Amino acid sequence: MSRYVCCAGYMPCSGRCGESRCPEFCLATEVFLCFGNSVASTRFMLQDEFNIQTTRCDNCIIGFMFCLQQVACIFSIVAMIVGSGEIQEASQLLSCLAELVYCTVCACMQTQHKVEMDKRDGMFGPQPVMAVPPFQQMSRIDQPIPPSVGYPPQGYGQPYGYSTQAQGYPAAGYPPPGYPK
């Protein structure tokens, strides 16, 4: 909290809100009263800090959110001028949908923020070691019971490849008759 600046220093009020004396109170005030600015400024700060570019998908989602809010606003103005109940209901429905999309986008952004800050702070730990996948056998047409994948087969008798008789190398009957040696 010693580094906290209101709206990450991106707004005109930044640094003038008493952040140095009581950063927790300023942060709570920022989140409750300026939620949109809080999310956007955190996004800008992390993009600047980690040199992250906004993707086309991000632009599309944010653009859709803004367009939906604009259409809801236009419907609201038209409903106010015309006085039509149907347009007023459509306006309220669009406003509700715009708020839902806004809240969803903000939640996604904040999840991205948390992941980036956890990466920065080394919270992910060591990466898992990649291992070679286990050996698998392909099913052959001439086998009455296919090889098991995952769990051993239930009720098929002996699992594939196992027998009660000792086998030498190569297995008896291999190579098939007529196969060139």
Side-chain angles (χ1 to χ4, degrees), residues 130-147:
M130 299 300 288
V132 176
F135 177 74
Q136 296 180 354
Q137 293 180 337
M138 293 180 66
S139 177
R140 293 178 36 188
I141 295 173
D142 61 344
Q143 295 173 339
I145 301 171

Side-chain angles (χ1 to χ4, degrees), residues 39-121:
V39 173
S41 61
T42 302
R43 179 179 177 80
F44 298 148
M45 178 192 69
L46 291 172
Q47 285 180 319
D48 288 348
E49 184 176 340
F50 299 118
N51 197 23
I52 298 172
Q53 298 290 321
T54 303
T55 65
R56 288 182 187 171
C57 185
D58 289 340
N59 285 335
C60 184
I61 292 169
I62 293 168
F64 173 72
M65 178 184 70
F66 287 144
C67 287
L68 194 56
Q69 289 174 341
Q70 292 292 325
V71 169
C73 180
I74 291 168
F75 264 68
S76 181
I77 292 170
V78 169
M80 185 176 56
I81 292 172
V82 174
S84 170
E86 292 87 19
I87 296 177
Q88 182 65 31
E89 282 185 34
S91 165
Q92 290 175 352
L93 181 67
L94 279 172
S95 293
C96 183
L97 184 62
E99 288 296 318
L100 178 69
V101 170
Y102 173 75
C103 290
T104 304
V105 169
C106 284
C108 290
M109 281 187 193
Q110 289 175 317
T111 302
Q112 288 175 335
H113 300 165
K114 175 76 170 124
V115 168
E116 291 300 327
M117 289 189 291
D118 284 350
K119 272 194 231 176
R120 176 190 66 191
D121 298 338

Side-chain angles (χ1 to χ4, degrees), residues 18-42:
E19 299 94 326
S20 59
R21 291 188 305 272
C22 190
E24 291 84 4
F25 178 74
C26 287
L27 177 60
T29 305
E30 173 187 337
V31 170
F32 284 111
L33 298 181
C34 309
F35 181 73
N37 289 343
S38 176
V39 173
S41 61
T42 302

